[in-house]
Amino acid sequence: MRERRAERLEALGWRTGDAAAFLGLSAEEAAYVEVKVRLAEGLRRRRAALELTQTALAEAVGSSQSRVAKMERADATVSLDLLIRALLALGATRHDLARLLRGR
Amino acid sequence: MRERRAERLEALGWRTGDAAAFLGLSAEEAAYVEVKVRLAEGLRRRRAALELTQTALAEAVGSSQSRVAKMERADATVSLDLLIRALLALGATRHDLARLLRGR
DNA sequence: TGCATCCATGTCCGATTCGACATATACAGA
DNA sequence: TCTGTATATGTCGAATCGGACATGGATGCA
């Protein structure tokens, strides 16, 4: 039987599979990152819906423009805690958070 | 018309309303606490379902028994970040997290 | 081409959160 | 009652995360 693509690539020294496998993330780390990215996207959409700049949002939640930018980029230096606090400050409910985690 | 109960109590100097109002929490703070409590309960249930002690869970996630106890009590010194990491370490998916936030 | 606005990224250092430990409480079985 | 096991709580030094600031790039508009 003809060799599958993944096996052929691996024979050449390539890592195959999804982004997590490529980056060497555990399933847990991958799940964590996905949760963070979803909250980050949710924050950006919510801010856009309110037609706020990052600076305006920063003022509203007592933070800084640079940190808001990092939140929305799901930067590694931003905790889920801060992301969730920011979303709640924009009026998100726990149901909204649930929707962000479930959705797509 | 007969005075409503809330008004009567307030006339006597009592704060009325829900726990948040009583404790002087903003809507945002109240929402944050509720999210934390839900995740905390979810963690405890998941640990119980796996029949792990807090000590065993602590080892599994690289923490300590005392911190696990605080997580499950929704202690103020525990971040949502840590709670979510612990849940994911126990195999929860983002859908499970969504369910915890939505549920009841 | 200048100027303004918006967002991204790196760094600093003070604040918060972490794991660890000590210790306390609660409850079970011998 | 004594012993062991599970959980709760307070504290500490170390690690991580936070806001602030500086700066750079991108876009739009005069």
Side-chain angles (χ1 to χ4, degrees):
Chain A
M1 199 217 275
R2 192 156 165 288
E3 219 181 4
R4 285 182 306 113
R5 171 178 161 79
E7 288 162 6
R8 279 183 287 121
L9 286 172
E10 272 155 11
L12 296 171
W14 287 94
R15 306 280 307 267
T16 56
D18 59 13
F22 181 73
L23 293 170
L25 300 180
S26 70
E28 233 174 285
E29 290 167 326
Y32 175 82
V33 170
E34 186 167 12
V35 165
K36 182 180 277 191
V37 167
R38 281 170 176 271
L39 295 175
E41 290 171 350
L43 181 61
R44 191 184 292 265
R45 277 193 263 106
R46 190 166 278 267
R47 176 175 66 84
L50 296 172
E51 299 184 82
L52 296 175
T53 64
Q54 289 183 345
T55 302
L57 170 54
E59 282 171 18
V61 308
S63 183
S64 61
Q65 179 270 324
S66 61
R67 197 137 289 277
V68 171
K70 284 163 190 169
M71 287 184 216
E72 294 185 353
R73 283 304 194 89
D75 188 281
T77 72
V78 171
S79 69
L80 299 185
D81 206 287
L82 183 62
L83 271 167
I84 292 175
R85 282 180 190 277
L87 280 159
L88 296 177
L90 288 189
T93 65
R94 65 189 169 83
H95 299 285
D96 294 326
L97 301 182
R99 217 167 293 127
L100 289 176
L101 294 182
R102 183 176 292 291
R104 192 73 5 129
Chain B
M1 199 219 272
R2 192 157 165 287
E3 220 181 3
R4 286 181 308 111
R5 172 179 160 78
E7 288 163 4
R8 280 183 287 123
L9 286 172
E10 272 155 11
L12 296 171
W14 287 95
R15 305 280 305 268
T16 55
D18 58 14
F22 181 74
L23 294 169
L25 299 181
S26 70
E28 230 175 286
E29 290 167 327
Y32 175 82
V33 170
E34 186 166 12
V35 165
K36 182 180 278 190
V37 167
R38 281 169 177 270
L39 295 175
E41 290 171 349
L43 180 62
R44 191 185 291 266
R45 278 202 302 277
R46 189 166 277 268
R47 175 176 66 81
L50 296 172
E51 298 184 82
L52 296 174
T53 63
Q54 290 183 345
T55 302
L57 170 54
E59 283 170 19
V61 307
S63 184
S64 61
Q65 180 270 325
S66 61
R67 196 137 289 276
V68 171
K70 284 163 190 168
M71 288 184 215
E72 295 184 353
R73 284 308 196 84
D75 188 281
T77 72
V78 171
S79 68
L80 299 185
D81 206 288
L82 183 64
L83 270 167
I84 290 175
R85 281 180 192 277
L87 280 159
L88 295 177
L90 287 189
T93 66
R94 65 190 168 83
H95 299 285
D96 294 327
L97 301 181
R99 217 167 293 126
L100 289 177
L101 294 182
R102 184 177 292 291
R104 193 78 3 132

Short mmCIF file of all heavy atoms in Angstrom, two decimals, chain B residues 62-95:
data_model
loop_
_atom_site.label_atom_id
_atom_site.label_comp_id
_atom_site.label_asym_id
_atom_site.label_seq_id
_atom_site.Cartn_x
_atom_site.Cartn_y
_atom_site.Cartn_z
N GLY B 62 1.06 19.59 39.54
CA GLY B 62 2.26 20.29 39.96
C GLY B 62 1.97 21.44 40.90
O GLY B 62 2.52 22.53 40.77
N SER B 63 1.08 21.20 41.86
CA SER B 63 0.78 22.23 42.84
C SER B 63 0.82 21.61 44.23
O SER B 63 1.49 20.60 44.43
CB SER B 63 -0.59 22.83 42.53
OG SER B 63 -0.87 23.90 43.39
N SER B 64 0.14 22.23 45.17
CA SER B 64 0.17 21.71 46.53
C SER B 64 -1.25 21.52 47.05
O SER B 64 -2.19 22.15 46.56
CB SER B 64 0.91 22.68 47.45
OG SER B 64 0.26 23.93 47.48
N GLN B 65 -1.41 20.66 48.03
CA GLN B 65 -2.73 20.39 48.59
C GLN B 65 -3.41 21.68 49.06
O GLN B 65 -4.60 21.88 48.83
CB GLN B 65 -2.61 19.41 49.77
CG GLN B 65 -3.93 19.06 50.45
CD GLN B 65 -4.26 20.00 51.58
OE1 GLN B 65 -3.37 20.46 52.30
NE2 GLN B 65 -5.54 20.31 51.75
N SER B 66 -2.63 22.53 49.68
CA SER B 66 -3.25 23.75 50.22
C SER B 66 -3.80 24.62 49.10
O SER B 66 -4.87 25.22 49.24
CB SER B 66 -2.26 24.53 51.07
OG SER B 66 -1.14 24.95 50.31
N ARG B 67 -3.07 24.66 47.99
CA ARG B 67 -3.57 25.50 46.90
C ARG B 67 -4.80 24.87 46.25
O ARG B 67 -5.73 25.58 45.84
CB ARG B 67 -2.48 25.78 45.87
CG ARG B 67 -2.83 26.94 44.95
CD ARG B 67 -1.69 27.89 44.68
NE ARG B 67 -1.37 28.69 45.85
CZ ARG B 67 -2.00 29.82 46.17
NH1 ARG B 67 -2.98 30.28 45.42
NH2 ARG B 67 -1.67 30.49 47.24
N VAL B 68 -4.82 23.56 46.17
CA VAL B 68 -6.01 22.90 45.62
C VAL B 68 -7.23 23.19 46.51
O VAL B 68 -8.31 23.51 46.01
CB VAL B 68 -5.80 21.38 45.49
CG1 VAL B 68 -7.10 20.68 45.13
CG2 VAL B 68 -4.74 21.09 44.43
N ALA B 69 -7.02 23.13 47.81
CA ALA B 69 -8.12 23.44 48.73
C ALA B 69 -8.63 24.86 48.48
O ALA B 69 -9.83 25.10 48.44
CB ALA B 69 -7.65 23.30 50.17
N LYS B 70 -7.70 25.78 48.26
CA LYS B 70 -8.09 27.17 48.00
C LYS B 70 -8.80 27.31 46.66
O LYS B 70 -9.75 28.07 46.53
CB LYS B 70 -6.86 28.08 48.08
CG LYS B 70 -6.44 28.34 49.51
CD LYS B 70 -5.03 28.89 49.62
CE LYS B 70 -4.61 28.87 51.09
NZ LYS B 70 -3.17 29.11 51.29
N MET B 71 -8.33 26.57 45.69
CA MET B 71 -9.02 26.59 44.39
C MET B 71 -10.48 26.19 44.57
O MET B 71 -11.39 26.87 44.10
CB MET B 71 -8.38 25.59 43.42
CG MET B 71 -7.01 25.96 42.89
SD MET B 71 -6.47 24.70 41.67
CE MET B 71 -4.71 24.67 41.99
N GLU B 72 -10.69 25.09 45.25
CA GLU B 72 -12.06 24.56 45.37
C GLU B 72 -12.93 25.44 46.26
O GLU B 72 -14.15 25.40 46.17
CB GLU B 72 -12.01 23.13 45.91
CG GLU B 72 -11.33 22.17 44.94
CD GLU B 72 -11.36 20.73 45.41
OE1 GLU B 72 -11.80 20.46 46.54
OE2 GLU B 72 -10.96 19.85 44.61
N ARG B 73 -12.31 26.24 47.10
CA ARG B 73 -13.04 27.17 47.94
C ARG B 73 -13.21 28.52 47.26
O ARG B 73 -13.71 29.46 47.86
CB ARG B 73 -12.31 27.36 49.27
CG ARG B 73 -12.47 26.20 50.24
CD ARG B 73 -13.93 25.91 50.41
NE ARG B 73 -14.25 25.09 51.56
CZ ARG B 73 -14.42 25.55 52.81
NH1 ARG B 73 -14.27 26.82 53.07
NH2 ARG B 73 -14.74 24.73 53.78
N ALA B 74 -12.69 28.63 46.04
CA ALA B 74 -12.77 29.91 45.30
C ALA B 74 -12.12 31.03 46.09
O ALA B 74 -12.61 32.16 46.11
CB ALA B 74 -14.22 30.24 44.94
N ASP B 75 -11.02 30.70 46.73
CA ASP B 75 -10.27 31.67 47.54
C ASP B 75 -9.85 32.87 46.71
O ASP B 75 -9.57 32.76 45.51
CB ASP B 75 -9.03 30.96 48.10
CG ASP B 75 -8.28 31.80 49.11
OD1 ASP B 75 -7.52 32.71 48.70
OD2 ASP B 75 -8.45 31.54 50.31
N ALA B 76 -9.79 34.01 47.36
CA ALA B 76 -9.46 35.25 46.66
C ALA B 76 -8.03 35.25 46.12
O ALA B 76 -7.71 35.99 45.19
CB ALA B 76 -9.66 36.45 47.59
N THR B 77 -7.17 34.43 46.69
CA THR B 77 -5.78 34.41 46.22
C THR B 77 -5.57 33.48 45.04
O THR B 77 -4.45 33.29 44.58
CB THR B 77 -4.81 33.98 47.34
OG1 THR B 77 -4.96 32.58 47.58
CG2 THR B 77 -5.06 34.75 48.61
N VAL B 78 -6.67 32.87 44.56
CA VAL B 78 -6.57 31.96 43.41
C VAL B 78 -7.12 32.66 42.17
O VAL B 78 -8.21 33.23 42.21
CB VAL B 78 -7.35 30.66 43.67
CG1 VAL B 78 -7.42 29.82 42.41
CG2 VAL B 78 -6.71 29.88 44.80
N SER B 79 -6.36 32.61 41.08
CA SER B 79 -6.80 33.25 39.84
C SER B 79 -7.67 32.31 39.01
O SER B 79 -7.60 31.09 39.15
CB SER B 79 -5.58 33.65 39.02
OG SER B 79 -4.93 32.50 38.54
N LEU B 80 -8.48 32.90 38.15
CA LEU B 80 -9.25 32.10 37.21
C LEU B 80 -8.31 31.30 36.33
O LEU B 80 -8.60 30.17 35.94
CB LEU B 80 -10.12 32.99 36.32
CG LEU B 80 -11.16 33.86 37.04
CD1 LEU B 80 -12.02 34.58 36.02
CD2 LEU B 80 -12.02 33.01 37.96
N ASP B 81 -7.18 31.88 36.03
CA ASP B 81 -6.18 31.21 35.23
C ASP B 81 -5.80 29.86 35.83
O ASP B 81 -5.83 28.82 35.15
CB ASP B 81 -4.94 32.10 35.12
CG ASP B 81 -4.14 31.81 33.87
OD1 ASP B 81 -3.51 30.75 33.82
OD2 ASP B 81 -4.19 32.63 32.95
N LEU B 82 -5.48 29.85 37.11
CA LEU B 82 -5.08 28.61 37.77
C LEU B 82 -6.22 27.61 37.80
O LEU B 82 -6.03 26.41 37.53
CB LEU B 82 -4.60 28.90 39.19
CG LEU B 82 -4.07 27.67 39.95
CD1 LEU B 82 -2.84 27.09 39.29
CD2 LEU B 82 -3.77 28.03 41.40
N LEU B 83 -7.41 28.08 38.07
CA LEU B 83 -8.58 27.20 38.11
C LEU B 83 -8.78 26.52 36.76
O LEU B 83 -9.01 25.31 36.69
CB LEU B 83 -9.83 28.01 38.47
CG LEU B 83 -10.14 28.13 39.96
CD1 LEU B 83 -11.19 29.20 40.20
CD2 LEU B 83 -10.62 26.79 40.49
N ILE B 84 -8.69 27.31 35.71
CA ILE B 84 -8.92 26.75 34.38
C ILE B 84 -7.81 25.78 34.01
O ILE B 84 -8.06 24.70 33.47
CB ILE B 84 -9.07 27.89 33.35
CG1 ILE B 84 -10.39 28.62 33.60
CG2 ILE B 84 -9.02 27.33 31.92
CD1 ILE B 84 -10.62 29.84 32.73
N ARG B 85 -6.58 26.13 34.35
CA ARG B 85 -5.48 25.20 34.09
C ARG B 85 -5.70 23.87 34.79
O ARG B 85 -5.45 22.80 34.23
CB ARG B 85 -4.15 25.79 34.57
CG ARG B 85 -3.54 26.82 33.65
CD ARG B 85 -2.23 27.33 34.25
NE ARG B 85 -1.72 28.50 33.58
CZ ARG B 85 -0.99 28.46 32.45
NH1 ARG B 85 -0.71 27.28 31.91
NH2 ARG B 85 -0.57 29.56 31.89
N ALA B 86 -6.16 23.93 36.03
CA ALA B 86 -6.38 22.70 36.79
C ALA B 86 -7.48 21.87 36.15
O ALA B 86 -7.36 20.64 36.02
CB ALA B 86 -6.74 23.03 38.24
N LEU B 87 -8.56 22.52 35.73
CA LEU B 87 -9.65 21.81 35.07
C LEU B 87 -9.16 21.14 33.79
O LEU B 87 -9.46 19.97 33.54
CB LEU B 87 -10.80 22.77 34.77
CG LEU B 87 -11.70 23.07 35.97
CD1 LEU B 87 -12.48 24.37 35.77
CD2 LEU B 87 -12.67 21.91 36.21
N LEU B 88 -8.40 21.87 33.01
CA LEU B 88 -7.88 21.30 31.76
C LEU B 88 -6.95 20.13 32.05
O LEU B 88 -6.97 19.12 31.33
CB LEU B 88 -7.15 22.37 30.95
CG LEU B 88 -8.00 23.54 30.43
CD1 LEU B 88 -7.13 24.56 29.71
CD2 LEU B 88 -9.11 23.04 29.52
N ALA B 89 -6.18 20.25 33.13
CA ALA B 89 -5.26 19.16 33.49
C ALA B 89 -6.05 17.91 33.85
O ALA B 89 -5.55 16.79 33.70
CB ALA B 89 -4.38 19.60 34.65
N LEU B 90 -7.27 18.09 34.33
CA LEU B 90 -8.11 16.94 34.66
C LEU B 90 -8.90 16.48 33.45
O LEU B 90 -9.83 15.67 33.56
CB LEU B 90 -9.07 17.26 35.81
CG LEU B 90 -8.44 17.38 37.19
CD1 LEU B 90 -9.52 17.48 38.24
CD2 LEU B 90 -7.53 16.18 37.46
N GLY B 91 -8.58 17.00 32.29
CA GLY B 91 -9.21 16.50 31.07
C GLY B 91 -10.44 17.27 30.63
O GLY B 91 -11.11 16.86 29.68
N ALA B 92 -10.77 18.35 31.31
CA ALA B 92 -11.92 19.14 30.88
C ALA B 92 -11.63 19.76 29.51
O ALA B 92 -10.48 20.08 29.21
CB ALA B 92 -12.22 20.23 31.89
N THR B 93 -12.65 19.88 28.69
CA THR B 93 -12.52 20.55 27.40
C THR B 93 -13.10 21.95 27.52
O THR B 93 -13.76 22.26 28.52
CB THR B 93 -13.32 19.81 26.31
OG1 THR B 93 -14.71 19.91 26.63
CG2 THR B 93 -12.92 18.34 26.24
N ARG B 94 -12.92 22.75 26.50
CA ARG B 94 -13.51 24.09 26.55
C ARG B 94 -15.04 24.00 26.61
O ARG B 94 -15.70 24.86 27.18
CB ARG B 94 -13.04 24.95 25.39
CG ARG B 94 -13.46 24.50 24.03
CD ARG B 94 -12.75 25.29 22.93
NE ARG B 94 -12.93 24.68 21.62
CZ ARG B 94 -13.98 24.87 20.84
NH1 ARG B 94 -14.98 25.64 21.25
NH2 ARG B 94 -14.06 24.28 19.67
N HIS B 95 -15.57 22.94 26.06
CA HIS B 95 -17.02 22.75 26.13
C HIS B 95 -17.44 22.49 27.58
O HIS B 95 -18.48 22.96 28.03
CB HIS B 95 -17.45 21.60 25.23
CG HIS B 95 -17.10 21.83 23.80
ND1 HIS B 95 -17.80 22.70 23.00
CD2 HIS B 95 -16.11 21.33 23.02
CE1 HIS B 95 -17.27 22.73 21.80
NE2 HIS B 95 -16.23 21.91 21.78
#
